[in-house]
Amino acid sequence: MKSSNLGYPRIGEKREWKKALESFWNGEIDEKIFLDTMQSIRLNHIKKQREIGIDLVPVGDFTLYDHMLDTAAMFGFIPERFDYQGGEVPLSVYFAMARGNEKAPACEMTKWFNTNYHYIVPEWSKEQSSRLHITENKPLKDFREAKEKLGVEGKPVLIGPYTFMKLSKGYDEKQFSYFLSLLLPLYEQILKELEREGVKWIQIDEPILATSLTKKEMEEFVSVYERLPQAAPNLKMMLQTYFEAVDWYEKLIKLPVSGIGLDFVYGLEKNLRHLSKSGFPEDKVLAAGVIDGRNIWRTDLSAASRLVEKILHSVPSERLWLQPSNSLLHVPVTTTYEKTLPLNLQQMLAFADEKLEELVYLTERFIDGEGKRAHYYAQNQQALHLWKKDASRYNANVHKECENLTKAQLERASSYLVRQKKQQEISQLPILPTTTIGSFPQTAEVRKARQKLKKGEWSQPQYERFIEAEIKRWIDIQEKIGLDVLVHGEFERTDMVEFFAEKLGGFAFTENGWVQSYGSRCVRPPIIYGDVEFLQPMTVKESVYAQSLTEKIVKGMLTGPVTILNWSFVRDDLPRHKVAEQIALALRNEIKALEESGISVIQVDEPALLEGLPLKEEKKQEYLEWAVRMFRVATSIVKDETQIHTHMCYCDFSSYLPVINQMDADVISIETSRSHGEMISVFEKETYPKGIGLGVYDIHSPRVPSVAEMAEMIERSLQVLNPEQFWVNPDCGLKTRKEQETVASLKNMVAAAKLVRARLLEEKKEWEEGKRYDAVKTSK
């Protein structure tokens, strides 16, 4: 039996990776220093895993930005707009694909399956497909580096061709097989070069197998993996799945690969049934994901040992690897720096390094017995016992409030059309009203102020005066820009989830529990360890202050219950929908407090509502029903005159417009700037009856779009949407942007809206005067 890891967090124990990236982008270090720094971080990760005792250490899982972007660059998937001239991809082109530049918008970015990690979407085109080639063999390069520098023969990791194709864009269904056939020779060349180098094992990740593939899709998949192993017969291939169970198990185990990796955490019951019913081939290794790679709770080693024993009924120990359920990319690096948490909670945490230690323990236990690690097991069981008995995690009042919820409490008092009329009578907003999604740039000054408060250098009143000054400054900026509905800017919030979690009961916070969200953007998810309770108003003070500074409407800004759930590390002793219900009831109290304080527009963001969708089709409906219910639990309490907004991003909206409509928000804004044309085509076939804003520019790129560019975006939207329902906004919050580019972009956005608004009003005037009617009649 061996221990194996699928992938390690990139960011470093103290986010060294993030700091190096941003220093390079800001011109503070040159390319050589940047690459040397990244190499040092990369090698340290490999060294650490080997020192912990992992037998099969991954190489090639490290990236300068994103693993899907790496794969695209390796095969020359460079859209023409980035002026790529061939050969090894320069960093300027690589980062332009991720972030855009002055000449070209970035590639689309979306969520990696049902996680909070974002990947860069590869783009196919007919012209580009004829120029595909290997720019560099990245797995081979990383394997050589680890061997030469550390003496470690690692296990190269590569995204599989079928998953790569399924997560790409730019082709229709009929072209899929053809483009896939163009890709396979490149994979074959990669494998041949690895084989010549003497690589023993390669891990090929095909998480697409965790989704509901059709019979035809599985036949295509089988044809790929009947072919690929033939290219390098002496290279052992571990076909790795994760995030769920596989559906086509019997077909999968017949493939001519040397090993298959299955998730026995998130696909536990079904994958165990497969093993029991169909067995496992004698010529293959099973890589069993027995440690949760997506949550931060300590493993119950007794339960994990029983699981391994069940697996051993079908697979002998010499053909079994124990590993996390998926790459440890989705958890923080180490608990070493967590010194402020309550001891009982601290003892229950296991980040990446601790999960690897658990793996080594389990592996050694089945090789040598308890032996020298008996104390490790005893500590584990004692911590679990104390945790289950901890009465502070349970709140009888919260459970009673959940039990008292009725169907009547989930409905707005009136229909949308009735509400819309009342809201417009009060707001008197122009056609195509402009607004932003909520946050404004978190400048160095804002971060310094937060640090001064944390270190005790500033008092709470001193900090609050600073925040009020920032709010006033940005209210003034928004009024000068000409926005119609304003926001207070969220300067008091470190993170859109963490801020609320800090003010609710049942949450705890790490000092250094960072995980990568996209690029250099790292987040520190709060931990839901107990029942979630509303304690006191959380946003009323700042919202009311901002509204006092202007005659224009200021939106109250909240994060929705399902997003708070999906962007937290969640307790594992309650169903997720029960935890979401507790959060929704807490937010319901906050919304009531905002409304009573005179805030007439309240935005409840749910960017992660569809992110949490199960990967299996048969499980999606149940999730959607309770997710929509949680939004309505939080928002249905308001009067007709109070306008509820929401924001969503990074998901397949085209398939879920009816679900979004069921949320019954008065206005929804959707991230579409990188895929605007595709969303427009959706509205040519589908109808959305409420207020909607399709993001007219991409906030994840530093480029400032022109007035003409955004006006075109608006005009394209109005081809399929009624001007009376359309809002003009960026595609997401502006927290990560710099002030200068933010102001410039918003000025152009407002100018674009006014340009289109003027055209619409002129047309309306001409219709009223009969000129437009006469012109149309004459042309006919």
Side-chain angles (χ1 to χ4, degrees), residues 343-357:
L343 184 60
N344 60 341
L345 175 56
Q346 192 172 318
Q347 290 178 339
M348 282 302 299
L349 300 182
F351 296 170
D353 288 352
E354 291 74 33
K355 290 178 186 297
L356 295 180
E357 289 171 358

Side-chain angles (χ1 to χ4, degrees), residues 189 487 518:
Q189 185 178 337
V487 295
Y518 67 86

Side-chain angles (χ1 to χ4, degrees), residues 48 75 90 141 145 165 220 256 278 292 365 389 395-396 405 477 492 529 554 591 632 637 667 679 727 770:
K48 186 197 287 190
F75 294 138
K141 181 179 178 182
E145 178 186 70
M165 277 297 304
E220 290 173 330
S278 304
D292 190 343
R365 183 179 190 189
K389 291 176 60 179
N395 187 311
L405 261 180
I477 290 171
E492 77 284 6
Y529 72 91
V554 176
I591 289 170
R632 294 174 72 138
I637 196 171
V667 180
M679 199 63 201
W727 286 65

Side-chain angles (χ1 to χ4, degrees), residues 697-737:
Y697 81 90
D698 176 20
I699 67 91
H700 300 93
S701 170
R703 67 186 294 270
V704 176
S706 67
V707 174
E709 187 178 332
M710 284 192 267
E712 183 184 358
M713 282 274 203
I714 298 169
E715 294 283 13
R716 289 174 69 190
S717 301
L718 295 181
Q719 292 173 13
V720 293
L721 292 170
N722 185 335
E724 299 290 340
Q725 72 180 130
F726 192 72
W727 286 65
V728 178
N729 49 258
D731 71 346
C732 208
L734 296 159
K735 174 181 177 180
T736 61
R737 299 270 51 93

Side-chain angles (χ1 to χ4, degrees), residues 608-625:
L609 187 134
L610 293 181
E611 172 192 306
L613 271 171
L615 299 179
K616 299 297 187 189
E617 290 297 328
E618 65 269 20
K619 296 181 180 180
K620 289 181 179 179
Q621 187 58 37
E622 180 185 2
Y623 168 84
L624 289 170
E625 286 176 0

Side-chain angles (χ1 to χ4, degrees), residues 468-727:
E468 287 185 350
E470 282 297 292
I471 292 172
K472 184 179 188 311
R473 189 167 73 85
W474 274 94
I475 290 290
D476 292 344
I477 290 171
Q478 291 173 84
E479 287 193 319
K480 288 176 183 175
I481 290 171
L483 288 161
D484 299 304
V485 175
L486 315 186
V487 295
H488 79 277
E490 303 179 20
F491 305 106
E492 77 284 6
R493 307 181 189 184
T494 54
D495 175 83
M496 65 182 293
V497 171
E498 182 181 61
F499 172 81
F500 292 95
E502 286 176 337
K503 297 177 181 297
L504 294 168
F507 284 85
F509 307 90
T510 63
E511 289 182 87
N512 205 50
W514 300 96
V515 292
Q516 184 188 5
S517 178
Y518 67 86
S520 68
R521 167 77 167 141
C522 296
V523 293
R524 191 173 49 184
I527 300 169
I528 304 176
Y529 72 91
D531 291 329
V532 177
E533 181 185 15
F534 177 80
L535 301 174
Q536 59 186 8
M538 300 174 280
T539 65
V540 171
K541 182 178 180 180
E542 291 81 12
S543 299
V544 169
Y545 174 69
Q547 186 63 80
S548 72
L549 300 172
T550 178
E551 294 298 318
K552 291 190 173 184
I553 295 170
V554 176
K555 287 191 286 189
M557 300 298 306
L558 306 177
T559 303
V562 180
T563 294
I564 291 177
L565 179 86
N566 286 333
W567 287 359
S568 299
F569 291 123
V570 184
R571 60 191 296 182
D572 57 2
D573 61 334
L574 279 183
R576 289 176 69 84
H577 72 274
K578 289 291 185 183
V579 181
E581 188 173 62
Q582 294 179 1
I583 302 169
L585 282 168
L587 293 174
R588 185 182 178 95
N589 288 322
E590 180 68 13
I591 289 170
K592 183 179 180 181
L594 281 168
E595 186 181 58
E596 290 175 349
S597 299
I599 303 301
S600 61
V601 176
I602 303 171
Q603 184 168 310
V604 184
D605 288 342
E606 283 288 20
L609 187 134
L610 293 181
E611 172 192 306
L613 271 171
L615 299 179
K616 299 297 187 189
E617 290 297 328
E618 65 269 20
K619 296 181 180 180
K620 289 181 179 179
Q621 187 58 37
E622 180 185 2
Y623 168 84
L624 289 170
E625 286 176 0
W626 69 252
V628 168
R629 182 175 182 270
M630 292 311 109
F631 185 84
R632 294 174 72 138
V633 167
T635 59
S636 61
I637 196 171
V638 298
K639 298 178 295 186
D640 288 349
E641 292 80 4
T642 299
Q643 191 173 73
I644 295 293
H645 288 228
T646 190
H647 172 69
M648 302 176 75
C649 53
Y650 305 119
C651 43
D652 177 17
F653 301 108
S654 59
S655 302
Y656 297 103
L657 279 179
V659 173
I660 294 170
N661 189 33
Q662 288 171 22
M663 295 168 67
D664 204 22
D666 298 299
V667 180
I668 181 171
S669 57
I670 299 179
E671 178 277 320
T672 56
S673 64
R674 294 193 184 188
S675 55
H676 201 84
E678 296 166 26
M679 199 63 201
I680 295 304
S681 66
V682 170
F683 288 110
E684 290 173 348
K685 303 170 188 174
E686 303 281 345
T687 300
Y688 186 76
K690 302 182 176 80
I692 189 167
L694 304 182
V696 298
Y697 81 90
D698 176 20
I699 67 91
H700 300 93
S701 170
R703 67 186 294 270
V704 176
S706 67
V707 174
E709 187 178 332
M710 284 192 267
E712 183 184 358
M713 282 274 203
I714 298 169
E715 294 283 13
R716 289 174 69 190
S717 301
L718 295 181
Q719 292 173 13
V720 293
L721 292 170
N722 185 335
E724 299 290 340
Q725 72 180 130
F726 192 72
W727 286 65

Side-chain angles (χ1 to χ4, degrees), residues 264 267-277 307 310-311:
F264 286 93
L268 173 62
E269 293 181 7
K270 195 169 186 177
N271 278 338
L272 270 182
R273 285 200 304 270
H274 287 320
L275 269 186
S276 177
K277 179 182 176 182
L307 172 58
K310 289 180 181 179
I311 294 170

